[in-house]
């Protein structure tokens, strides 16, 4: 946004969608000088075996244990990398998505190679995924299974959802066992 004095501001910027720290130098035609700042693009990592929700979760070595903790530590536009294995939760859904984030599953525990799929398991006691109203999200290389809620046992979607190489299986509910 540019104010009446010609000062442009933004609350969020991304450099290129790739996690890392970038040094940015801005110049404006017709204005003397420049401005330099650091821009950080975050990726967030989740490993249900080796992670800890008290970690920063922004490196593979300091990953979160749960998906909901990773979402809390994310901002809109963040990519959340999920290691292989079974991800569970004690919340009403294994993942309640309330930010515009992308989930990419199937990563090795070191997050160096994509070797398979990630399993989100509702353990027949909670839903798999809930996408809140107004949220846009993508799930890739994920299996959602054993969800059990009154609506949307696998995925309860009130937003915009894209599924890529994702399977919904073994959901139990009166309405919408898959989505």
């Amino acid at each position: 946004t540019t104010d009446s004095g010609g000062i442009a501001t933004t609350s969020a910027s991304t450099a290129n969608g790739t996690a890392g720290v970038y040094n940015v130098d801005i110049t404006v035609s017709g204005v003397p000088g420049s401005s330099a700042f650091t821009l950080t693009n975050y990726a967030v990592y989740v490993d249900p075996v080796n992670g800890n929700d008290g970690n920063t979760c922004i490196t593979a070595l300091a990953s979160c244990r749960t998906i909901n903790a990773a979402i809390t530590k994310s901002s809109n536009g963040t990519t959340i990398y999920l290691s292989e294995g079974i991800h569970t939760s004690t919340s009403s859904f294994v993942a309640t998505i309330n930010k515009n984030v992308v989930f990419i599953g199937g990563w090795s525990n070191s997050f160096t190679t994509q070797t398979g799929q990630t399993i989100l398991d509702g353990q027949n006691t909670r839903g798999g995924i809930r996408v809140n109203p107004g949220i846009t999200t993508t799930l890739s290389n994920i299996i959602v299974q054993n969800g059990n809620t009154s609506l949307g046992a696998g995925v309860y979607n009130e937003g915009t959802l894209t599924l890529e190489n994702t399977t919904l299986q073994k959901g139990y509910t009166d309405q919408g066992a898959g989505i």
Side-chain angles (χ1 to χ4, degrees), residues 84-169:
E84 288 183 308
I86 298 174
H87 296 252
T88 61
S89 177
T90 56
S91 301
S92 56
F93 287 86
V94 177
T96 299
I97 305 171
N98 58 7
K99 296 176 183 168
N100 300 318
V101 294
V102 173
F103 296 89
I104 302 176
W107 290 93
S108 63
N109 287 351
S110 62
F111 294 94
T112 55
T113 58
Q114 236 180 331
T115 54
Q117 286 191 308
T118 297
I119 299 171
L120 277 59
D121 194 337
Q123 302 173 305
N124 296 317
T125 59
R126 66 191 51 80
I129 297 169
R130 177 180 180 157
V131 181
N132 284 351
I135 297 301
T136 299
T137 191
T138 299
L139 307 175
S140 178
N141 294 327
I142 296 172
I143 297 170
V144 181
Q145 67 183 26
N146 300 322
N148 191 343
T149 63
S150 58
L151 291 171
V155 175
Y156 182 48
N157 182 31
E158 296 182 287
T160 302
L161 172 65
T162 301
L163 301 176
E164 299 171 348
N165 195 28
T166 295
T167 302
L168 309 176
Q169 62 189 24

